[in-house]
């Protein structure tokens, strides 16, 4: 059965696609994916028992009345998603970048939802499986889609844009992350800007951070650009506001301006807010609606999130970390004007040969600060002149905090997701 035949026979009638039997509902389509530690083919029959109309498998031994055999289920999922996308005559905005892509995706979606019915990437489903599932969740009444795209190896954005076929795109920034997979910073730039390369080929529109030379110098042939900036003269300009714990800026567009505050920690998030405001204005959302959307957005999932506990004020930025985001978060924290500060930093993963050098550069920021309570979790080097407490795991630090708690402090919690710093929240 071809993708087109499957689409017309099954998907049009049963548009809920699942790759996990835990999300099967009556009338679902189950696609059995395989990974290093699992084989979805083993659950094909269970999915049907749970209500799936069919299971798509690539193991011939699983063929049955309601099982449809294909050569490769992952390829089939991606081709089905691309076919569905090509039936949609709507703007599709692709978003990628080293840091801030999830927050920017959330802000852009919130802004556009003021005027349109929007479908967007849920959570962090931004890879070769998540992007197809996002596309297949777009119903006929959706007016704009926002698709987040992540990568940790060369060429991955090219794969994703060829599935999603965006009509517009935005790269938040390019920084040092996943160096182990990419091999070099140059490869990161090349991979991220594959979004620009695709847009150039379809005469699409790119929203460009004019302050970032890594982006402006690597447009890959894009002709339709919409620039935003804090320092250059562009149609969409931001002016930083205040010295608060939260990001705030004044949004200026062709002589009109409005102040926008947020519940997002860190002045670096103002650039993500400016990007969202620019995209919103381009698609006809009013300044007042943009302000309402951004100010109403409450961060969650340990991303630029603040939390008041009985003991402290926590700044939870622990969903992920790389040298670029860690530096931005820590430098903002160092400048904050609060009485008592403490930091809990988790190791930054996937840095390869650059790991020790990048960790030392972060410790140098702490060494030059007045922060006295410094806690490091994971594999951190020791440097002369820095007084810090070292812990192998978050569990080890949690046991210490339960006996000797941090109190009456503002605490920055930042690290790679694998360090599991979220386990510390109950003790803080």
């Amino acid at each position: 059965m071809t993708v087109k035949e499957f689409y017309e026979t099954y998907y049009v009638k049963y548009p809920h696609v699942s790759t996990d039997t835990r999300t099967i509902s009556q009338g679902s389509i189950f696609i059995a994916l395989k990974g290093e530690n699992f084989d979805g083919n083993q659950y094909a029959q269970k999915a049907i028992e749970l209500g799936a109309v069919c299971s798509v498998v690539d193991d011939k031994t699983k063929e049955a009345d309601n099982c449809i055999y294909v050569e490769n289920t992952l390829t089939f999922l991606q081709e089905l998603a691309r076919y569905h996308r090509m039936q949609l005559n709507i703007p599709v905005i692709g978003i990628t970048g080293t840091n801030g892509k999830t927050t920017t995706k959330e802000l852009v979606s919130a802004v556009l939802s003021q005027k349109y019915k929007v479908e967007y990437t849920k959570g962090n489903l931004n890879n070769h499986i998540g992007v197809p599932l996002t596309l297949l969740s777009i119903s006929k009444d959706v007016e704009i889609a926002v698709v987040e795209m992540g990568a940790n190896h060369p060429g991955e954005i090219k794969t994703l844009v060829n599935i999603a076929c965006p009509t517009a795109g935005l790269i938040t920034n390019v920084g040092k992350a996943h160096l182990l997979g990419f091999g070099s910073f140059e490869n990161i730039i090349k991979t991220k800007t594959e979004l620009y390369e695709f847009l150039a080929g379809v005469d699409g529109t790119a929203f460009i951070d004019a302050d970032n030379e890594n982006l402006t110098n690597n447009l890959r042939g894009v002709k339709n650009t919409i620039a935003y900036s804090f320092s250059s003269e562009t149609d969409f300009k931001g002016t930083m506001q205040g010295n608060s714990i939260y990001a705030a800026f004044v949004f200026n567009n062709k002589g009109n301006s409005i102040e926008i505050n947020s519940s997002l920690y860190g002045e670096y998030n103002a650039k993500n807010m400016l990007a969202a405001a620019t995209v919103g204005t381009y698609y006809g959302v009013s300044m007042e609606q943009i302000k309402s959307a951004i100010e109403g957005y409450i961060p969650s999932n340990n991303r630029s999130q603040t939390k008041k506990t009985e003991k402290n004020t926590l700044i939870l930025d622990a969903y992920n970390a790389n040298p670029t985001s860690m530096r931005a978060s820590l430098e903002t924290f160092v400048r904050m004007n609060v009485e008592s500060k403490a930091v809990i930093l988790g190791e930054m993963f996937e840095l390869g040969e650059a790991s020790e050098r990048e960790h030392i550069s972060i410790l140098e920021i702490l060494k030059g600060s007045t922060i006295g309570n410094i806690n490091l979790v994971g594999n951190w080097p020791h440097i002369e002149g820095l007084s810090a407490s070292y812990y192998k795991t978050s569990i080890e630090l949690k046991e210490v905090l339960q006996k000797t708690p941090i109190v009456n402090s503002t605490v920055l919690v930042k690290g790679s997701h694998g360090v599991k710093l979220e386990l510390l929240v109950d003790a803080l």
Side-chain angles (χ1 to χ4, degrees):
M1 181 177 288
T2 66
V3 168
K4 182 177 183 293
E5 290 170 340
F6 182 90
Y7 184 87
E8 293 173 348
T9 304
Y10 289 96
Y11 179 82
V12 171
K13 296 178 183 176
Y14 308 103
H16 180 252
V17 176
S18 174
T19 59
D20 187 336
T21 54
R22 292 171 295 184
T23 62
I24 291 291
S25 58
Q26 197 68 35
S28 295
I29 294 168
F30 177 67
I31 298 182
L33 300 181
K34 289 185 293 191
E36 290 183 9
N37 302 310
F38 67 92
D39 182 356
N41 288 287
Q42 297 175 0
Y43 301 96
Q45 191 58 45
K46 181 181 179 181
I48 292 168
E49 292 169 1
L50 290 170
V53 294
C54 67
S55 289
V56 180
V57 299
D58 53 12
D59 180 348
K60 285 189 174 181
T61 66
K62 302 299 180 185
E63 282 190 278
D65 289 344
N66 293 317
C67 286
I68 297 168
Y69 174 78
V70 298
E71 190 170 332
N72 183 295
T73 50
L74 175 59
T75 301
F76 182 84
L77 172 68
Q78 294 172 341
E79 290 178 351
L80 181 66
R82 189 180 191 281
Y83 186 87
H84 175 57
R85 190 275 168 261
M86 298 313 293
Q87 313 311 307
L88 303 169
N89 187 26
I90 61 172
V92 175
I93 304 167
I95 296 180
T96 190
T98 302
N99 306 305
K101 58 182 174 291
T102 299
T103 298
T104 302
K105 173 259 300 182
E106 295 282 334
L107 291 171
V108 167
S109 301
V111 166
L112 293 175
S113 293
Q114 295 284 313
K115 183 174 181 178
Y116 303 97
K117 180 171 175 56
V118 179
E119 185 61 64
Y120 60 97
T121 302
K122 301 300 189 290
N124 200 35
L125 292 173
N126 62 14
N127 63 6
H128 60 297
I129 297 171
V131 167
L133 290 174
T134 296
L135 294 169
L136 288 167
S137 71
I138 302 173
S139 57
K140 290 182 179 179
D141 58 343
V142 168
E143 297 171 294
I144 293 184
V146 182
V147 182
E148 180 184 339
M149 303 175 187
N152 53 26
H153 287 85
E156 288 185 327
I157 296 299
K158 183 175 183 178
T159 297
L160 298 179
V161 294
N162 282 322
I163 297 170
C165 301
T167 56
L170 188 154
I171 302 174
T172 55
N173 51 44
V174 183
K176 297 176 181 178
H178 306 296
L179 284 168
L180 184 61
F182 281 113
S184 70
F185 184 55
E186 289 71 28
N187 282 341
I188 296 175
I189 295 173
K190 182 179 179 181
T191 299
K192 297 297 183 183
T193 56
E194 285 167 352
L195 173 57
Y196 291 162
E197 184 178 28
F198 180 88
L199 293 173
V202 297
D203 201 27
T205 299
F207 299 96
I208 307 288
D209 177 3
D211 301 328
N212 192 322
E213 290 186 354
N214 289 323
L215 300 178
T216 58
N217 292 340
N218 292 279
L219 290 176
R220 306 285 286 271
V222 177
K223 295 178 181 178
N224 304 321
T225 60
I226 306 295
Y228 56 91
S229 171
F230 276 116
S231 59
S232 305
E233 286 307 315
T234 56
D235 285 342
F236 300 95
K237 196 170 189 310
T239 305
M240 295 294 297
Q241 283 292 102
N243 191 27
S244 153
I245 187 174
Y246 300 113
F249 78 113
V250 173
F251 178 49
N252 304 280
N253 174 227
K254 298 178 181 178
N256 300 311
S257 64
I258 194 166
E259 183 174 337
I260 302 177
N261 298 287
S262 78
S263 298
L264 288 158
Y265 162 73
E267 60 190 35
Y268 54 87
N269 266 308
K271 182 59 71 72
N272 300 329
M273 293 156 60
L274 175 58
T278 300
V279 173
T281 303
Y282 178 81
Y283 287 103
V285 183
S286 71
M287 278 192 164
E288 291 73 19
Q289 289 174 315
I290 291 169
K291 176 181 172 70
S292 175
I294 295 177
E295 293 189 343
Y297 173 70
I298 306 298
S300 60
N301 202 20
N302 302 323
R303 295 179 188 274
S304 301
Q305 182 181 359
T306 58
K307 183 181 180 70
K308 293 272 190 181
T309 70
E310 293 181 1
K311 303 186 189 84
N312 303 291
T313 297
L314 307 184
I315 299 170
L316 298 173
D317 203 10
Y319 188 87
N320 222 332
N322 56 60
T324 308
S325 67
M326 183 74 85
R327 178 174 291 275
S329 187
L330 197 53
E331 288 178 344
T332 297
F333 188 67
V334 167
R335 290 194 296 269
M336 276 178 55
N337 185 22
V338 293
E339 275 192 30
S340 180
K341 299 179 187 176
V343 296
I344 298 173
L345 302 183
E347 179 184 352
M348 300 176 290
F349 292 154
E350 297 183 47
L351 294 178
E353 295 179 356
S355 182
E356 183 175 9
R357 179 177 72 250
E358 295 297 345
H359 281 85
I360 288 174
S361 72
I362 295 301
L363 296 182
E364 291 290 347
I365 299 173
L366 289 171
K367 181 180 174 181
S369 75
T370 58
I371 300 171
N373 193 338
I374 300 169
N375 303 275
L376 305 172
V377 182
N379 187 24
W380 285 86
H382 289 70
I383 66 169
E384 187 176 346
L386 178 68
S387 176
S389 300
Y390 291 78
Y391 304 91
K392 291 181 180 179
T393 66
S394 292
I395 294 295
E396 184 181 330
L397 174 54
K398 185 172 184 177
E399 291 172 354
V400 172
L401 291 173
Q402 288 170 336
K403 296 175 183 176
T404 312
I406 297 173
V407 295
N408 301 322
S409 297
T410 301
V411 187
L412 173 64
V413 184
K414 174 77 176 172
S416 286
H417 190 56
V419 184
K420 299 181 179 179
L421 295 179
E422 67 273 9
L423 297 175
L424 303 173
V425 174
D426 292 344
L428 292 168

